[in-house]
Amino acid sequence: MALPRRRPPLREVGHDPDYRFSLANERTFLAWIRTALALIAGGVALASLVPDLTPALLRDGLAVLLVVLAVVVAVRSYARWDRAERAIRQDLPIAVGGTTVRLLAGGIVVVGAGVLVLLLIGR
């Protein structure tokens, strides 16, 4: 059984692009990373800073969901950055949207609805 082929390093792909495109791609990556960090902070805050919100199982489940979303966003942001950088270097179209955006939006809707339930029944 053959091992999967490794993708060539970025320096070996296509040509050096206009640095502004690479920097814009990096800024987008960093925005996704900031989003992941904010999700982690939200999960930690929900789990430890508001212990009065009950039921605890729902509160802790929402906190775990936030941290899981953060991990997914962080991993997918690197994959998106790499894919976009390779496309830029090869003058190919960059994929738009994707499952990460839908997953993040859906996860935030679920967390928002759960927090609303916590606030309404926790009083």
Side-chain angles (χ1 to χ4, degrees), residues 41-97:
V44 169
L46 192 57
S48 61
L49 298 179
V50 287
D52 295 337
L53 287 180
T54 55
L57 184 62
L58 178 58
R59 182 193 64 232
D60 293 344
L62 292 171
V64 167
L65 178 59
L66 283 169
V67 174
V68 168
L69 278 173
V71 170
V72 169
V73 166
V75 169
R76 294 297 304 153
S77 68
Y78 177 79
R80 185 201 178 285
W81 171 84
D82 185 69
R83 194 171 52 250
E85 194 66 26
R86 290 176 188 279
I88 290 168
R89 296 180 71 80
Q90 296 174 352
D91 294 323
L92 297 172
I94 296 175
V96 178

Side-chain angles (χ1 to χ4, degrees), residues 18-32:
D18 182 335
Y19 69 91
R20 293 173 293 179
F21 298 125
S22 289
L23 292 175
N25 188 33
E26 184 177 349
R27 283 191 302 273
T28 302
F29 167 73
L30 293 173
W32 280 102

Side-chain angles (χ1 to χ4, degrees), residues 39 46 61-63 65-66 69 106-117:
L39 290 168
L46 192 57
L62 292 171
L65 178 59
L66 283 169
L69 278 173
I108 295 298
V109 166
V110 169
V111 169
V115 169
L116 182 61
V117 168

